């Protein structure tokens, strides 16, 4: 019986292959930092650190994985894999899931896993972008944003992963709007990556359901000031815009020495430092022309060490492109609408 089934699968597969050959696509997706202090679940930026995905959709069922770099050995290599779940959702929404029932997934990851640099958003966007390209861009970028937000639950990481640059996103029910822009300041980001994982779920559980009005006002002012100073190119205002009262104070207990690292980075020349996404990474903003990244990184590392935390330092720039195909050809044409 099993043999018969295998034979049937093979027959179908060969016939289908002749009609619709399986194809492969490669995409590159940036890591991201969400919240940016006061913009909880709203603001984000894309960094020049990347995950690459090579995806082949197969007519025969079954999954094959090869995962290199960050997360190798930890990322599930079965139906639970988030790249596959994203591919699967896109195929279902395009009504093509009966046609493509399996996949060969190769991942090469530089974005640290589960540290607040958008590794899950990068995986979701990579899966959606690659599968969509293999369907000759059935969906436009705005539709991809909606699908990605549906999977991730909030848009602040998936939006910059898709569009690049800085992003402001709002949601109304299931509708998501994203405004992506490049700042009028040349910024560098110094990221301290602590040697422990912090699942987003755990970092959200420590947040209160409601917040005092004064804290809400505090954040509205800073989030607005942050966007205004980035768009206007005013670093003196940016210095006062990188504070938060809605999530960082509650999450500080999960990240030993967080405020000492903030202080050390500022003393070494950073404009300010925030928790990257849900953490545990901390990201310092610096002006490119100040050339203080080395000193800031050292100061952050030392401050963390005082609290018994080993941290790796990454000096990153802004990614301005977002997710893109890296074996260009006829798959790269996207529909208008985003
Ligand atoms: N806005 C999210 C949070 C980002 O802070 O929980 C992490 O996914």
């Amino acid at each position: 019986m099993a043999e018969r089934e295998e034979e049937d699968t093979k027959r179908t597969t060969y016939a289908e292959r002749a009609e619709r050959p399986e194809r492969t696509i490669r995409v590159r997706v940036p890591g991201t930092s969400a919240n940016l202090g006061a913009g909880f679940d709203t603001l984000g930026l894309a960094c020049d650190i990347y995950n690459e995905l090579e995806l082949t959709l197969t007519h025969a069922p079954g999954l094959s994985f090869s995962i290199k770099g960050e997360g190798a050995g930890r990322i599930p290599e079965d139906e639970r894999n988030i790249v596959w779940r994203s591919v699967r959702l896109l195929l279902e929404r395009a009504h093509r899931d009966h046609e493509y029932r399996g996949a060969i997934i190769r991942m090469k990851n530089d974005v640290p896993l589960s540290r607040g640099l958008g590794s899950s958003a990068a995986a979701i966007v990579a899966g959606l972008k690659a599968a969509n390209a293999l369907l000759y861009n059935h969906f436009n970028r705005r539709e991809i944003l909606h699908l990605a937000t549906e999977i991730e639950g909030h848009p602040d990481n998936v939006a910059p992963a898709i569009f690049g640059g800085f992003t402001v996103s709002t949601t109304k029910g299931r509708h998501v709007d994203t405004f992506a822009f490049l700042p009028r300041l040349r910024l560098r980001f110094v990221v301290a990556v602590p040697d422990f994982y912090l699942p987003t779920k755990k970092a959200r559980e420590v947040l209160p359901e409601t917040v005092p009005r004064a804290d809400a006002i505090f954040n509205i002012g800073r989030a607005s000031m942050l966007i205004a100073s980035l768009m206007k190119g005013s670093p003196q205002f940016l210095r006062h815009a990188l504070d938060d009262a809605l999530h960082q104070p509650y999450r500080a207990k999960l990240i030993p020495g967080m405020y000492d690292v903030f202080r050390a980075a500022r003393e070494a020349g950073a404009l300010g430092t925030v928790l990257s996404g849900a953490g545990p990474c901390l990201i310092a903003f610096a002006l490119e022309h100040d050339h203080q990244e080395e000193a800031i990184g050292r100061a952050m590392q030392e401050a963390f060490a005082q609290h018994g935390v080993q941290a790796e330092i990454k000096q990153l720039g802004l990614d301005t492109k977002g997710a893109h195909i890296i074996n260009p050809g006829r798959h790269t044409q996207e529909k208008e609408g985003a």
Side-chain angles (χ1 to χ4, degrees), residues 47-318:
C47 316
D48 57 359
I49 183 168
Y50 300 94
N51 283 359
E52 285 182 15
L53 166 69
E54 186 181 282
L55 175 71
T56 306
L57 294 177
T58 62
H59 301 301
L63 298 173
S64 160
F65 288 91
S66 152
I67 302 175
K68 295 199 175 124
E70 297 285 344
R74 280 186 73 94
I75 296 173
E77 300 190 3
D78 54 31
E79 297 277 334
R80 293 168 303 162
N81 181 279
I82 193 151
V83 170
W84 169 245
R85 287 199 282 122
S86 307
V87 168
R88 185 89 202 147
L89 180 74
L90 185 132
L91 292 173
E92 281 167 13
R93 295 293 165 84
H95 306 292
R96 301 284 292 274
D97 50 315
H98 57 283
E99 188 181 330
Y100 294 111
R101 287 172 291 168
I104 303 166
I105 290 171
R106 294 181 207 283
M107 298 163 73
K108 193 161 85 46
N109 298 338
D110 283 342
V111 179
L113 188 71
S114 203
R115 308 285 174 83
L117 278 179
S119 58
S120 73
I124 292 166
V125 170
L128 293 174
K129 179 94 184 169
N132 194 43
L134 291 175
L135 301 188
Y136 296 102
N137 294 309
H138 184 96
F139 297 106
N140 64 34
R141 276 209 293 186
R142 194 157 293 280
E143 290 164 331
I144 294 293
L145 171 70
H146 279 84
L147 287 174
T149 304
E150 184 180 328
I151 302 168
E152 176 88 328
H154 37 86
D156 49 344
N157 281 113
V158 296
I162 294 170
F163 296 103
F166 278 81
T167 54
V168 183
S169 302
T170 54
T171 54
K172 189 169 184 194
R174 294 168 80 90
H175 181 80
V176 188
D177 273 324
T178 287
F179 173 63
F181 68 97
L182 298 181
R184 290 181 67 181
L185 285 172
R186 294 189 74 86
L187 293 170
R188 299 285 299 163
F189 308 105
V190 184
V191 182
V193 187
D195 63 349
F196 64 89
Y197 297 104
L198 178 54
T200 300
K201 188 169 176 291
K202 189 172 167 202
R204 289 179 88 84
E205 277 168 8
V206 299
L207 304 180
E209 279 298 321
T210 56
V211 295
R213 181 182 358 191
D215 290 352
I217 294 168
F218 182 97
N219 269 48
I220 291 166
R222 275 148 191 86
S224 310
M225 186 65 92
L226 176 62
I227 298 305
S229 58
L230 287 168
M231 299 211 62
K232 182 90 176 155
S234 311
Q236 69 276 26
F237 292 108
L238 193 58
R239 269 178 220 286
H240 304 293
L242 291 165
D243 281 327
D244 161 73
L246 295 189
H247 70 110
Q248 293 182 173
Y250 306 99
R251 287 171 163 172
K253 62 180 174 216
L254 303 173
I255 298 140
M258 186 179 93
Y259 286 117
D260 285 344
V261 179
F262 285 6
R263 210 170 3 257
R266 174 107 52 175
E267 282 166 15
L271 292 169
T273 307
V274 294
L275 187 58
S276 184
C281 278
L282 306 182
I283 178 167
F285 286 50
L287 291 171
E288 188 176 88
H289 67 64
D290 283 346
H291 302 294
Q292 291 303 319
E293 295 100 296
E294 284 290 334
I296 295 167
R298 244 190 337 268
M300 294 172 87
Q301 203 166 35
E302 281 164 16
F304 254 143
Q306 303 263 323
H307 290 268
V309 175
Q310 300 302 310
E312 188 194 339
I313 301 297
K314 291 187 186 293
Q315 296 181 18
L316 303 175
L318 188 69

